[in-house]
Amino acid sequence: MSVENVTERPVPTVADLEAEGDVAADFLEELLDIADIDGDLNLDVRQGRAYVSVEAEGDGIELLSAPDTVQALQELTRLAVQSKTGSFSRLILDIGGSRDARRRQLERLVDAAVVKLDEGASQASLPAMSSYERKLVHDIVADRGLTSESYGEGVDRHTVIRRR
């Protein structure tokens, strides 16, 4: 039996990530035009990822900023970037402050889990979520002086919180 060599993806440079953000912005501008939504796009590089935020006002942006919609649009945008650049994208999309709103929701989930631990539970499991959301949860948990690990596969992957 042979073992295949697993090669890691090269770490993208800031210039690569900025180019990725530009491709994503072009895609999103076309999408917003089709939806007849006026919006401003902001591009940034954060923690080794291209970060694109869409700021707009009105009913259209409220519909687009729903968590499941943001996740779906992020995946479509990543695919558009990958199609154009030939490279895998870990781009983060924020629409109308949806990422900050989701972080606040995750903080409340962690706080509820901490209450369970305070009441004597040995661990508290959170619902399944995306890798980005799990990373946010791990950061929130660490800030509260607890430990966390992810378990499960695919769409069932979730985080378990414990005391140190």
Side-chain angles (χ1 to χ4, degrees), residues 125-147:
S125 295
L126 300 182
M129 55 187 72
S130 72
S131 61
Y132 177 76
E133 291 172 326
R134 286 192 314 275
K135 188 209 179 304
L136 289 176
V137 165
H138 291 306
D139 292 344
I140 294 164
V141 167
D143 288 346
R144 288 177 172 56
L146 303 167
T147 62

Side-chain angles (χ1 to χ4, degrees), residues 58-132:
D59 294 336
I61 202 68
E62 288 177 18
L63 293 173
L64 292 180
S65 65
D68 290 342
T69 306
V70 173
Q71 187 67 29
L73 289 172
Q74 177 175 280
E75 291 307 315
L76 287 173
T77 305
R78 286 177 173 177
L79 288 171
V81 168
Q82 185 173 338
S83 174
K84 185 86 167 184
T85 65
S87 297
F88 177 77
S89 172
R90 294 177 56 226
L91 163 123
I92 298 297
L93 177 62
D94 180 32
I95 299 177
S98 61
R99 293 293 174 183
D100 288 338
R102 182 61 177 151
R103 181 178 178 89
R104 287 189 299 274
Q105 289 175 334
L106 294 172
E107 287 171 343
R108 287 191 295 272
L109 275 175
V110 169
D111 290 342
V114 170
V115 168
K116 289 180 184 178
L117 295 175
D118 288 345
E119 292 172 347
S122 62
Q123 64 184 31
S125 295
L126 300 182
M129 55 187 72
S130 72
S131 61
Y132 177 76

Side-chain angles (χ1 to χ4, degrees), residues 30-43:
E30 287 182 38
L31 183 71
L32 291 173
D33 284 345
I34 290 168
D36 197 28
I37 297 172
D38 292 325
D40 294 323
L41 294 161
N42 297 307
L43 310 176

Side-chain angles (χ1 to χ4, degrees), residues 142-156:
D143 288 346
R144 288 177 172 56
L146 303 167
T147 62
S148 59
E149 291 184 63
S150 292
Y151 294 94
E153 298 293 326
V155 297
D156 294 326

Side-chain angles (χ1 to χ4, degrees), residues 18 20-25 28 41-45 50-53 91:
E18 288 172 344
E20 185 177 311
D22 288 337
V23 171
L28 290 166
L41 294 161
N42 297 307
L43 310 176
D44 198 4
V45 173
Y51 189 96
V52 181
S53 61
L91 163 123

